[in-house]
Amino acid sequence: MKLVFSGNTAWSMYNFRRNILMECVAKGYETFVLAPEDSTYEQLITGLGCKFIPIVLERKGKNPVKEVSLYLKYKRILKSIRPDGCFFYTIKPNIYGSLAAASLRIPYVPITTGLGYVFNVDNLLNKIVKFLYKMAFRKACQVWFLNNDDLASFVDERIIPLEKTKVLKGEGIDVEHFEIHADMVQQPVFLLLARMLWDKGVGIYVEAAKIIKAKYPQARFQLLGAVDDENPMGISLMQLEDWNKKGYVEYLGVTDDVRPYIYQSSCVVLPSYYREGIPFCLMEGAAAGKPLITTINTGCREVVEDGYNGFLCKTKDVDSLVEAIDRFLLLDTHERTQMGLNGRQKMMREFGIDVIKDVYAEAIDSFFKK
């Protein structure tokens, strides 16, 4: 059996879907990954045993000629491989990969990993994207979502009928990949782990840090993640360095392994108002036994039970985030430890990779083996 998996970066395919890809290879499936080539693509080949096919994909491009070219590229590749089924992730693979698979009568399942900034604005681009989604998903075997809000948006907009949808609990977290490290109580360290985007709540986090540090000078606030110059909501490196210089936060840059940074933190924070799927950074923090602070935003609130494995705050509200951080700082060592353990248990129970593997296995048996 031949399977195709396609996303917007080789990095995300390796880091977010590694266990699914490994499982498919272990079962003897010929597993192809289609994604833009980056520093991670070789790990998909040598580390996982996948076959990698590079595809040029401008994530934020709006040139109609290039969009048609991308569709034709997908069609050529899929026609040459003739896979038994495809899984597509993120907007452009979801749209153009799905359209290509549909035209070739190849079974496919698109996974919407979050709706992003396009769904936060009501403009012509928003309408075009919704129309393209509707066309792309017409012949899908099923369409998967990572939260109920995104599913409801697509059903309400009549992009996809309810009976063709399914909700996954995230993309699966390998809890055993993470250890539990004790919190450094004397010097609390807060870590925001994400792309450096305004709508990830980075600016809110910085403003909250200023207030908290005036009350708790020993508190540290860290930022870890890539600068995304292509995104209209991207924060410049100059701005990050300015905050760093003024002592508001510590910008740590980027890394291929987030675990050491999570282990050295006290709490993982994501004050996002971005249309998230299920934020992987929150799952990683919880898997490492760290309490979480996040917003009641779509995708975020699914990971946190307020007072059980972290705290929830309002979106775009500095005071609400400050209050949540205050609540955390008032916890004693035992309470922090228990809250972190609760989060790890929640990941194992609801978001564990074995649960997600079963969903993929069922889809492959139901849709692709006919």
Side-chain angles (χ1 to χ4, degrees), residues 7-19:
N8 65 349
T9 63
W11 182 91
S12 66
M13 296 304 295
Y14 179 79
N15 284 283
F16 297 160
R17 291 123 207 166
R18 176 172 61 243
N19 289 283

Side-chain angles (χ1 to χ4, degrees), residues 273-332:
Y273 51 95
Y274 182 87
R275 283 301 297 260
E276 304 282 358
I278 294 288
F280 209 75
C281 60
L282 293 179
M283 293 196 297
E284 290 172 322
K290 299 297 180 180
L292 309 175
I293 294 176
T294 192
T295 55
I296 54 174
N297 183 42
T298 297
C300 298
R301 62 177 178 266
E302 279 79 2
V303 187
V304 174
E305 296 176 40
D306 192 61
Y308 175 72
N309 67 314
F311 298 112
L312 292 170
C313 62
K314 298 175 185 176
T315 57
K316 301 183 182 180
D317 191 323
V318 174
D319 291 338
S320 183
L321 177 56
V322 168
E323 182 182 344
I325 294 172
D326 259 325
R327 291 174 69 188
F328 172 80
L329 290 170
L330 290 173
L331 298 175
D332 61 30

Side-chain angles (χ1 to χ4, degrees), residues 163-206:
E163 59 269 20
K164 288 188 71 171
T165 65
K166 187 181 187 68
V167 175
L168 298 183
K169 283 282 193 170
E171 297 196 69
I173 184 77
D174 183 1
V175 177
E176 298 305 320
H177 188 60
F178 295 83
E179 301 171 2
I180 296 178
H181 286 245
D183 177 24
M184 299 181 293
V185 180
Q186 297 303 315
Q187 191 179 40
V189 178
F190 297 91
L191 175 65
L192 191 160
L193 168 63
R195 282 183 295 153
M196 295 295 106
L197 305 178
W198 291 107
D199 49 3
K200 290 285 186 178
V202 175
I204 304 292
Y205 178 78
V206 173

Side-chain angles (χ1 to χ4, degrees), residues 92-326:
K92 291 200 174 184
N94 272 348
I95 291 174
Y96 300 113
S98 293
L99 287 169
S103 72
L104 296 168
R105 298 184 179 181
I106 297 169
Y108 64 98
V109 175
I111 299 100
T112 60
T113 57
L115 303 188
Y117 77 93
V118 172
F119 273 71
N120 283 340
V121 293
D122 185 15
N123 57 17
L124 179 60
L125 178 60
N126 177 289
K127 291 178 174 60
I128 292 172
V129 169
K130 288 177 180 178
F131 172 76
L132 289 172
Y133 267 128
K134 188 171 185 176
M135 293 298 101
F137 290 177
R138 279 191 308 170
K139 296 183 180 180
C141 300
Q142 216 171 36
V143 180
W144 295 353
F145 297 86
L146 303 189
N147 60 68
N148 286 298
D149 289 343
D150 289 351
L151 184 154
S153 293
F154 272 59
V155 172
D156 291 346
E157 294 280 351
R158 298 186 178 181
I159 295 172
I160 190 79
L162 179 62
E163 59 269 20
K164 288 188 71 171
T165 65
K166 187 181 187 68
V167 175
L168 298 183
K169 283 282 193 170
E171 297 196 69
I173 184 77
D174 183 1
V175 177
E176 298 305 320
H177 188 60
F178 295 83
E179 301 171 2
I180 296 178
H181 286 245
D183 177 24
M184 299 181 293
V185 180
Q186 297 303 315
Q187 191 179 40
V189 178
F190 297 91
L191 175 65
L192 191 160
L193 168 63
R195 282 183 295 153
M196 295 295 106
L197 305 178
W198 291 107
D199 49 3
K200 290 285 186 178
V202 175
I204 304 292
Y205 178 78
V206 173
E207 292 303 312
K210 295 178 189 178
I211 296 170
I212 291 293
K213 287 172 78 70
K215 186 177 179 181
Y216 302 95
Q218 76 277 21
R220 296 168 60 193
F221 291 81
Q222 298 179 334
L223 293 168
L224 178 65
V227 172
D228 190 347
D229 293 326
E230 292 183 21
N231 195 302
M233 296 297 285
I235 299 173
S236 69
L237 181 59
M238 184 181 297
Q239 177 65 80
L240 293 166
E241 290 175 342
D242 181 61
W243 286 334
N244 203 81
K245 184 177 179 180
K246 291 176 178 176
Y248 302 148
V249 294
E250 304 165 37
Y251 178 55
L252 306 175
V254 295
T255 181
D256 290 331
D257 187 356
V258 300
R259 289 176 296 175
Y261 298 93
I262 294 175
Y263 295 158
Q264 293 169 20
S265 72
S266 308
C267 177
V268 172
V269 184
L270 185 68
S272 175
Y273 51 95
Y274 182 87
R275 283 301 297 260
E276 304 282 358
I278 294 288
F280 209 75
C281 60
L282 293 179
M283 293 196 297
E284 290 172 322
K290 299 297 180 180
L292 309 175
I293 294 176
T294 192
T295 55
I296 54 174
N297 183 42
T298 297
C300 298
R301 62 177 178 266
E302 279 79 2
V303 187
V304 174
E305 296 176 40
D306 192 61
Y308 175 72
N309 67 314
F311 298 112
L312 292 170
C313 62
K314 298 175 185 176
T315 57
K316 301 183 182 180
D317 191 323
V318 174
D319 291 338
S320 183
L321 177 56
V322 168
E323 182 182 344
I325 294 172
D326 259 325

Side-chain angles (χ1 to χ4, degrees), residues 53-72:
I53 299 178
I55 188 164
V56 177
L57 188 159
E58 295 183 19
R59 290 187 294 133
K60 308 302 176 185
K62 302 171 188 175
N63 185 320
V65 175
K66 290 186 177 180
E67 302 300 279
V68 172
S69 176
L70 178 59
Y71 160 72
L72 294 174

